[in-house]
Amino acid sequence: MKRKILGQILMMCCLCMLLVLGMHTEAQAKTRINKTSAKIYIHDTEDLRILDSSGNVVSGYVKWTSSKPNVAYVDIYGRVYGVKAGTTTITAKYGNRTYRCTVTVSNMQDVYASRLVHYINYERAKYGLPPLQKETELNKAAEKRSKEIAVRFRTTRLNNSSPFSAISVHYPWKKASQLIARKYLTPKATVEAWSKNKSQHAIICKSGYNKVGTACYMGKDGHLYWVAFLAKK
């Protein structure tokens, strides 16, 4: 009799365990990651979470990893830290389920350089002038100069040669002008400052120009250095 009762108790325990396990598995099946893709800037963060069916953060253990920690790494809580420009996959393992989020890290200075073109063209549009087209070789030249003026803020290069020597000899430009600025916090403020200067505004609104290259660089002093090359190809 005792054996029979004991067997029944064991069977009930097993059924309870199976029921709990089934409920746990079902609960896991209804979980999700709060984002499957995210865009951040270098030094920015993004919080990833595993949520239950009610939208609450799960209480169980989640293992977080990054496919490219040199681009962005993730801590044990799911916070992602941008390190350098690139793309990485953040993986979260919760129970027997796996979730992924693609994280793209951008350089704010690259975004600023692109916005610089926008505001230059916006100023040109006020005078009925066509927009300047971005040119890769001019961008490269502007990047060189932005790093140079962070060392010495001059219109010439560090060896006192022409700033236009920064443009590749293989780029067939006919005319070109350089604009430089420092310490302005935004692309808009930079172009506004150029526009207030008569000679610099004349460069922005030169009708013969059709190409542009821009750059923004943060110097060791923490200030932003801006360069724009406007040219006729």
Side-chain angles (χ1 to χ4, degrees), residues 134-151:
K134 296 179 184 179
E135 187 67 67
T136 301
E137 291 302 327
L138 293 179
N139 282 340
K140 292 179 181 178
E143 288 172 6
K144 290 180 185 177
R145 289 291 295 129
S146 65
K147 294 176 182 177
E148 291 177 353
I149 64 174
V151 176

Side-chain angles (χ1 to χ4, degrees), residues 164-183:
F164 307 110
S165 64
I167 303 174
S168 171
V169 295
H170 301 294
Y171 181 71
W173 58 278
K174 297 177 182 179
K175 296 179 181 179
S177 296
Q178 172 193 241
L179 294 171
I180 63 173
R182 63 179 172 179
K183 298 185 179 181

Side-chain angles (χ1 to χ4, degrees), residues 101-119:
C101 176
T102 301
V103 176
T104 302
V105 182
S106 301
N107 188 333
M108 176 60 84
Q109 295 162 48
D110 292 339
V111 176
Y112 273 3
S114 181
R115 295 298 291 170
L116 201 61
V117 176
H118 168 79
Y119 286 109

Side-chain angles (χ1 to χ4, degrees), residues 7-9 11 23 28 32 39 49 72 78 81 86 90 97 114 117 123 128 136 144 155 158 163 176 183 221 224:
Q8 290 176 341
I9 293 174
M11 184 176 294
M23 291 175 63
Q28 281 189 357
R32 59 184 174 83
K39 293 182 179 180
R49 298 288 184 265
Y81 299 80
I90 303 299
R97 295 183 66 83
S114 181
V117 176
E123 186 64 26
T136 301
K144 290 180 185 177
T155 56
L158 295 179
K183 298 185 179 181
D221 57 3
L224 293 175

